């Protein structure tokens, strides 16, 4: 009969082997009750003369996935995790960690306290703490280099990416990879281990110093890769300490670093993003609404957007019918799709065979009748209301009456696109971001008639495509492009006040964006937004002249015309401040009127984004501030470690 130490930890016996099972759904996170339960188990098993070895295994979908992140805002409670890991390591009998799912963070650190680690072939292990703005806090930086060497430890800890079982075995991070019945395999492993001399506990193993120059090289590489982030460099310093100082000194240094980062702005931001990302795919207001089944999809339009959407669907294993208006356009669409997969092969993301299988999943056609059995069709044609309405009229005739029909419009009013169509309950906006097979964000835009099942299907699609879905109400630009418009207008206002274009871009880069607002426009082209404004003007709307309009009228549409907000040397991409632009804009600039410098620029522009975000919330266009943050992070390059404009401004007060 299994004896219960705490409800989350049970102990069973297989002869002289004790099996400690952790059952703390959903992911066996190491909250206080579990830590106490494991501590008590170690004490009880040490005192039990019948037990010679212990297998630590978990119920549910995964091994221990880490510390309980929800406890991070609260005072630490005993037993502390580093003490627990040391206690397991010091146990009188050897412990064997039996890993399935993911052994992450504190979960892998628990496994490091065990004398052996046995992993199922489908499992992975890792120390992802830097992605939460912290460093491992229970010996990950100190024991890992003793187990797998300094280079592997640096990769694992400063990169934060988990590794699959086979690679973990090759690196020495686990001792054995097994398939089939993990419990039985781990017990057999433990029995076998008892027939041989035990290896030293990891804390007593030596660690060799790396080549001279190693630390400086790593520092440079990390600074470049994780620009602006504090945790990866602090993690490197912990590993260095582990190499250069005695075990317990290094452990104390790691703990101190962990505790100091835990309360930092970056950690708070990354935690908020962590929970927002996990909440986004399953919105509370949809409750138990069941999505419709998705087995076959259609895409209308094989341009950049359509091909990207088709690629995303095919990547997720959905067969796709790609419809274009004539044979030539079909061929072009298929070629666009082929190019996307070839790119994937070149970058090592896909094998040749996978790329070929993906292409085999697509049917190119001009005939809407091929969509008769599609469960979902996404329109990605030219942004013109008449063109789109014509597409939906054909879809309404060709598709099953329960097929979900979606538009990828980025700024047209979906109500006008669907107006007058039969059965609008199955209609929805699905706003992908380019390149659609890469960008994580999906804005989901219901019209008033959209049925809850249709909306739930949009979210189910996002889950299938591994995207971050955010529901947006209807307004010009939905959430993301509306904030972008405000951001650009605010940046132009700074230019009018005498702040230089280059200073603004530099400030936003300094804040953590890959590019400033003007460089980004030069890359994407100024003409798209210009044409939109011109369209609105032609329709009688009062759209004030922007500085961007002045540049486009002068033929400066961005890099593709050799100049936009900046000049570009032929064939080069480095932006050069432009005397031509200065002359064009001079009549609209009051030098020194309100010039800003450095970080103040970024603070001002982020505050503008957040102000637009607040209006968006007040209008019910977004449901939660965190939705706005997810849109900015996953669609517009907002630095993740700042948490998004709403989080960042709230944090600043
Ligand atoms: C750490 O360990 C620090 C230590 O070094 C030092 C300490 C002293 N805590 O992702 P899912 C929830 S830092 C609390 O959808 P999946 C999640 O919010 C930690 N809750 O599942 C969600 O809740 P709900 C290092 C957590 O199957 C539910 O579990 N570890 C935690 O797609 C399901 O999550 C990590 O960073 C947590 N640690 O993926 C691992 N993790 O149902 C983070 C998850 O209420 N976790 N939840 O929405 C993961 O990467 C994935 O959850 C995992 C499973 C791969 C494990």
């Amino acid at each position: 009969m299994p004896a219960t130490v705490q409800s989350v930890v049970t102990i069973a016996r297989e002869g002289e082997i004790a099996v400690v099972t952790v059952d703390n759904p959903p992911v066996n996170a190491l909250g206080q009750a579990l830590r106490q339960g494991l501590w008590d188990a170690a004490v009880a098993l040490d005192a039990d003369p019948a037990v010679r070895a212990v297998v630590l295994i978990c119920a549910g979908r995964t091994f221990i996935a880490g510390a309980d992140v929800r406890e991070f805002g609260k005072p630490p409670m005993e037993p502390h995790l580093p003490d627990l890991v040391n206690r397991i390591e010091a146990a009188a009998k050897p412990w064997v960690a039996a890993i399935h799912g993911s052994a992450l963070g504190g979960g892998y650190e628990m496994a490091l306290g065990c004398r052996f680690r046995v992993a199922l072939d489908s499992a992975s292990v890792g120390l992802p703490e830097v992605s939460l703005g912290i460093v491992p806090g229970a010996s990950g930086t100190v024991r890992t280099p003793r187990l797998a060497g300094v280079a592997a430890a640096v990769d694992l800890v400063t990169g934060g990416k988990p590794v699959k079982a086979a690679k973990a075995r090759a690196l020495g991070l686990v001792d054995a990879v097994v398939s089939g019945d993990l419990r039985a395999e781990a017990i057999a492993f433990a029995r076998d281990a008892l027939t041989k001399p035990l290896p030293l506990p990891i804390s007593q193993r030596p660690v060799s110093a790396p080549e001279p120059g190693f630390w400086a090289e790593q520092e440079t590489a990390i600074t470049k890769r994780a620009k602006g982030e504090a945790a990866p460099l602090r993690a490197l310093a912990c590993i260095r300490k582990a190499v250069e100082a005695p075990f317990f000194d290094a452990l104390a240094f790691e703990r101190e670093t962990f505790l100091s980062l835990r309360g930092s702005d970056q950690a708070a931001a990354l935690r908020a993003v962590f929970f927002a990302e996990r909440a986004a795919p399953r919105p509370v207001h949809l409750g138990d609404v069941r999505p419709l089944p998705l087995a076959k999809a259609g895409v209308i339009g094989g341009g950049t957007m359509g091909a990207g959407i088709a690629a995303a669907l095919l990547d997720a294993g959905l067969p796709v019918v790609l419809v274009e208006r004539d044979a030539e356009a079909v061929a072009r669409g298929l070629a666009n799709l082929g190019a996307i997969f070839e790119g994937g092969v070149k970058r090592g993301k896909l094998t040749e065979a996978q790329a070929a299988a993906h292409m085999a999943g697509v049917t190119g056609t001009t005939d809407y009748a091929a969509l008769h059995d599609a469960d979902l069709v996404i329109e990605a044609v030219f942004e013109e209301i008449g063109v789109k309405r014509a597409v939906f009229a054909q879809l309404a005739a060709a598709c099953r009456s329960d097929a979900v029909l979606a538009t990828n419009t980025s700024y047209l009013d979906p109500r006008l696109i669907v107006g007058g169509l039969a059965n609008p309950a199955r209609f929805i906006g699905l706003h992908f971001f380019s390149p659609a097979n890469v960008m994580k964000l999906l804005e989901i835009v219901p019209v008033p008639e959209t049925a809850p099942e249709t909306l739930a299907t949009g979210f189910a699609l996002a889950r299938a495509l591994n995207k971050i879905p955010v529901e947006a109400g209807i307004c010009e630009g939905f959430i993301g492009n509306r904030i972008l418009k405000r951001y650009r207008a605010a940046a132009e206002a700074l230019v009018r006040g005498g702040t230089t274009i280059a200073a603004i871009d530099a400030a936003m880069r300094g804040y953590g964006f890959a590019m400033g607002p003007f460089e980004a426009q030069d890359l994407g082209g100024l003409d798209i937004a210009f044409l939109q404004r011109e369209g609105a003007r032609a329709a009688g709307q009062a759209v004030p002249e922007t500085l961007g309009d002045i540049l486009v009228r002068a033929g400066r549409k961005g890099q593709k015309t050799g100049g936009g907000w900046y000049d570009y040397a032929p064939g080069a991409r480095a932006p050069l401040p432009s005397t031509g632009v200065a002359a064009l804009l001079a009549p609209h600039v009051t030098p020194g009127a309100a010039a800003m410098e450095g970080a103040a620029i970024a603070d001002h522009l982020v505050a503008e984004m957040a102000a637009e975000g607040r209006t968006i919330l007040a209008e019910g266009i977004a449901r939660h501030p965190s939705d706005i943050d997810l849109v900015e992070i996953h669609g517009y390059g907002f630095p993740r470690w700042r948490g998004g404009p709403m989080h960042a401004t709230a944090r600043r007060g």
Side-chain angles (χ1 to χ4, degrees):
M1 280 286 282
T4 303
V5 176
Q6 284 268 336
S7 57
V8 287
V9 176
T10 48
I11 301 175
R13 286 292 154 68
E14 294 287 340
E16 58 199 2
I17 311 292
V19 179
V20 172
T21 302
V22 168
D23 189 1
N24 189 26
V27 295
N28 293 314
L30 281 157
Q32 194 277 337
L34 175 53
R35 295 196 302 275
Q36 188 65 54
L38 287 167
W39 186 282
D40 294 346
V43 172
L45 293 170
D46 269 4
D48 186 338
V51 170
R52 291 190 60 216
V54 181
V55 166
L56 172 64
I57 196 164
C58 293
R61 66 173 108 163
T62 179
F63 190 76
I64 300 165
D68 189 334
V69 179
R70 286 165 309 187
E71 285 186 354
F72 281 7
K74 305 173 190 160
M77 285 202 296
E78 291 185 336
H80 301 304
L81 192 54
D83 300 335
L84 175 63
V85 174
N86 289 341
R87 177 66 186 80
I88 301 287
E89 188 184 69
K93 338 276 164 84
W95 282 50
V96 178
I99 300 169
H100 77 292
S102 310
L104 298 177
Y108 185 59
E109 290 170 310
M110 273 300 300
L112 291 174
C114 295
R115 200 64 67 98
F116 301 99
R117 288 143 295 281
V118 174
L120 210 53
D121 48 10
S122 54
S124 36
V125 305
L127 293 164
E129 282 87 343
V130 292
S131 60
L132 289 165
I134 52 175
V135 298
S139 85
T141 68
V142 192
R143 283 193 170 90
T144 311
R146 287 175 159 78
L147 186 64
V150 172
V154 167
D155 277 353
L156 197 72
V157 175
T158 69
K161 293 217 165 42
V163 294
K164 289 270 175 216
K167 183 166 179 204
R169 173 78 191 91
L171 292 171
L173 295 167
V174 301
D175 302 291
V177 177
V178 300
S179 52
D181 183 344
L182 176 63
R183 188 177 190 274
E185 292 287 348
I187 291 169
F189 183 98
R191 287 211 168 100
D192 182 55
L194 289 172
T195 64
K196 301 168 193 165
L198 286 178
L200 284 174
I202 296 175
S203 65
Q204 292 173 29
R205 296 186 201 175
V207 52
S208 15
E211 299 287 308
F214 174 84
W215 300 112
E217 266 167 39
Q218 291 300 322
E219 227 170 83
T220 312
I222 293 168
T223 308
K224 192 164 165 220
R225 188 180 73 217
K227 201 183 118 211
E229 286 177 64
L233 282 176
R234 301 283 295 274
L236 184 73
C238 289
I239 299 173
R240 182 166 190 172
K241 189 79 172 179
V243 174
E244 295 174 354
F247 179 83
F248 282 101
D249 291 357
L251 204 57
F253 181 79
E254 180 199 69
R255 182 75 179 163
E256 209 178 285
T257 310
F258 167 78
L259 289 174
S260 79
L261 285 173
R262 203 179 70 149
S264 67
D265 284 349
Q266 293 196 8
L270 289 164
R271 265 199 310 277
V273 178
F274 174 89
F275 285 115
E277 284 175 347
R278 274 161 180 82
R282 290 182 178 76
V284 176
H285 68 280
L286 282 176
D288 293 332
V289 179
R290 289 172 72 92
L292 302 166
L294 289 176
K296 184 171 178 183
V299 174
I300 315 297
T304 307
M305 206 56 185
I309 294 171
L313 294 164
L314 289 159
D315 270 337
L318 278 173
V320 171
V321 174
L322 182 68
V323 181
E324 261 292 4
R325 59 183 183 283
D326 55 40
E328 212 176 292
V330 170
R332 231 181 359 252
L334 292 176
N336 287 341
L337 199 48
I340 291 173
F341 293 136
E342 270 164 39
V345 172
K346 271 194 202 121
R347 286 194 307 280
K349 301 252 179 223
L350 284 179
T351 63
E352 295 273 3
Q354 284 167 327
H358 283 13
M359 277 313 278
V362 65
T363 313
T365 179
T366 56
D367 186 0
Y368 277 72
L371 298 168
H372 69 96
D373 58 348
D375 301 304
L376 161 76
V377 182
I378 304 170
E379 161 280 312
V381 302
F382 190 61
E383 286 278 284
E384 208 279 309
I385 191 83
V387 179
K388 298 223 187 236
R389 283 183 60 84
V391 165
F392 279 95
Q394 296 197 69
L395 289 178
C399 294
R400 269 193 346 245
S401 62
D402 63 342
V404 171
L405 304 183
T407 174
N408 176 54
T409 187
S410 52
Y411 66 89
L412 296 174
D413 185 336
R415 288 169 301 196
L416 302 179
I417 297 176
V418 75
L421 277 186
N423 196 8
R426 59 176 169 157
F427 179 85
I428 195 157
L430 292 177
H431 184 205
F432 289 80
F433 289 72
S434 190
N437 58 316
V438 176
M439 295 292 283
K440 282 271 189 189
L441 179 62
L442 180 65
E443 279 182 328
I444 299 185
V445 190
V447 294
E449 297 87 349
T450 300
E453 290 72 24
T454 309
L455 187 57
T457 309
F459 280 91
L461 176 75
R463 292 195 292 273
L465 303 188
N466 197 20
K467 300 226 178 274
I468 304 283
V470 171
E471 187 176 330
I474 297 173
C475 65
E476 194 192 306
F478 309 128
I479 299 174
N481 281 342
R482 178 162 159 183
I483 293 178
L484 179 66
K485 193 172 167 187
R486 169 90 172 241
Y487 171 46
R488 286 181 174 169
E492 284 202 5
L494 287 182
V495 173
R496 288 176 193 268
T499 309
T500 67
I501 293 166
I504 294 168
D505 280 339
M508 297 319 285
R509 267 186 271 110
Y511 187 81
F513 283 83
M515 265 185 236
F518 298 111
E519 298 161 320
Q521 287 178 65
D522 273 1
L523 184 66
L526 279 68
D527 46 334
I528 305 160
F530 169 78
L531 288 175
Q532 221 175 303
R533 287 190 293 271
E534 285 289 274
R537 287 173 189 131
Q541 290 176 35
V543 181
E545 180 89 339
T546 69
L547 299 183
D549 292 339
I550 296 168
L551 298 187
V552 175
R553 289 191 214 290
R556 304 187 64 100
K557 296 181 187 169
Q559 287 190 19
K560 61 186 172 191
T561 58
W565 293 96
Y566 296 92
D567 290 338
Y568 295 87
R573 286 171 167 263
L576 308 167
S578 166
T579 49
V581 169
L584 276 168
L585 301 187
H588 308 276
V589 172
T590 316
M596 279 194 185
E597 279 177 28
I601 297 174
D603 289 343
H604 171 71
L605 292 179
V606 171
E608 286 285 314
M609 291 182 201
E612 192 65 32
R614 283 193 295 277
T615 315
I616 283 172
L617 283 167
E619 291 174 13
I621 299 296
R623 286 178 180 268
H624 311 287
S626 61
D627 281 350
I628 295 175
D629 288 335
L630 289 179
V631 165
E632 291 302 311
I633 291 167
H634 289 290
Y636 296 85
F638 199 99
R640 183 183 177 84
W641 50 272
R642 299 265 190 191
M646 307 309 284
H647 176 92
T649 25
R651 183 96 182 165
R652 278 173 66 90

